[in-house]
Amino acid sequence: MKKFHLILAITALLASARPGSLFPQSRLYEGPDDPAGDPAAEREVHMDGNRFQIYLNTGGYTGHWGFLDGSKWPRNSQQGLDMYDGCRLIVGSKIFLENDTLPVTDGNRLNSGADLDSLFIIESDAESETAPGGTISWSFTPVFGYFNEVSETPAISIDPASWPVSGWPSRGDELKWPGEWNGRFGRGVQYAQLESYFVMNDAQDQEWLLAEKEVRYY
């Protein structure tokens, strides 16, 4: 039996792995003041378009072999093929520190050739890592505010009942465009047959503050 494979890739390109080639972020963040991610905000849905069906979970992955019919082609068919097992978001970064704890973001300092500690942080979805005791996710988890909390699905372009009732997070605590779709193409525009919109963060992650860590990151 042949399997159809879907590959989703998010790539961050760095100029070089050497401190002398890296530059700090130059523009201040002006987006929403999102709360910390919460597993209670996790939602799932099947994205049906043309003859495809994609299982989407706002914990940060698509596909789930054999679960809730997974991601199939053709959809709505007992003969449909599971296209792939699962696709998960993975984000990595390299951080430079001095005195084992202080992040170095000044471009001149990075380019000075100073002997700095480096820390690689790799983050993935909510199932990949938890705090000691297994009670709090230390990975990406979805945040409230970007969907109707009484909805069983994330915000879906064709279902206004799934959109946040008071509007979409904008800047700080401001909300915008209640009753309108806020998607890839802008206010109220729905070019795509079907869209979903959600936000994740890893604000609960305390891994690099543990006392036993030789290098800590605040």
Side-chain angles (χ1 to χ4, degrees):
M1 177 185 294
K2 292 184 178 180
K3 296 180 180 178
F4 292 84
H5 297 273
L6 175 66
I7 299 175
L8 303 179
I10 295 180
T11 305
L13 297 178
L14 296 178
S16 170
R18 295 179 294 106
S21 301
L22 297 179
F23 299 91
Q25 182 173 325
S26 60
R27 187 172 63 181
L28 293 176
Y29 175 73
E30 298 180 346
D33 185 14
D34 292 326
D38 188 336
E42 192 170 316
R43 298 292 189 272
E44 61 186 6
V45 68
H46 280 104
M47 306 286 284
D48 294 332
N50 295 323
R51 300 185 67 194
F52 289 91
Q53 171 180 284
I54 303 295
Y55 170 75
L56 172 69
N57 188 295
T58 60
Y61 62 93
T62 72
H64 199 311
W65 190 274
F67 177 67
L68 295 177
D69 288 332
S71 297
K72 303 179 70 173
W73 181 93
R75 65 184 176 95
N76 299 329
S77 170
Q78 294 183 352
Q79 287 75 42
L81 300 176
D82 281 289
M83 295 186 292
Y84 61 97
D85 183 3
C87 238
R88 299 177 183 271
L89 174 68
I90 299 176
V91 175
S93 62
K94 184 177 182 180
I95 298 160
F96 294 96
L97 307 170
E98 59 183 349
N99 299 326
D100 294 336
T101 59
L102 303 177
V104 178
T105 58
D106 178 73
N108 293 327
R109 185 88 172 99
L110 291 174
N111 292 325
S112 68
D115 185 17
L116 302 174
D117 291 316
S118 58
L119 182 64
F120 289 90
I121 295 181
I122 306 296
E123 209 70 285
S124 188
D125 63 88
E127 295 182 358
S128 63
E129 186 177 25
T130 59
T135 57
I136 299 175
S137 171
W138 276 358
S139 301
F140 284 131
T141 48
V143 303
F144 285 103
Y146 294 85
F147 63 99
N148 186 343
E149 294 184 15
V150 302
S151 173
E152 295 183 357
T153 72
I156 299 294
S157 58
I158 62 173
D159 182 13
S162 68
W163 307 345
V165 175
S166 299
W168 304 87
S170 178
R171 291 188 176 184
D173 295 326
E174 296 178 4
L175 301 176
K176 64 181 181 181
W177 309 340
E180 298 182 77
W181 176 243
N182 178 25
R184 168 67 179 83
F185 303 102
R187 181 179 185 177
V189 180
Q190 297 186 35
Y191 284 144
Q193 187 176 34
L194 185 62
E195 281 187 282
S196 182
Y197 176 28
F198 62 94
V199 169
M200 303 183 297
N201 66 38
D202 64 344
Q204 301 279 15
D205 192 350
Q206 303 292 308
E207 176 185 3
W208 294 102
L209 300 180
L210 295 175
E212 61 267 25
K213 293 287 187 181
E214 294 183 6
V215 176
R216 299 188 193 182
Y217 176 59
Y218 290 85

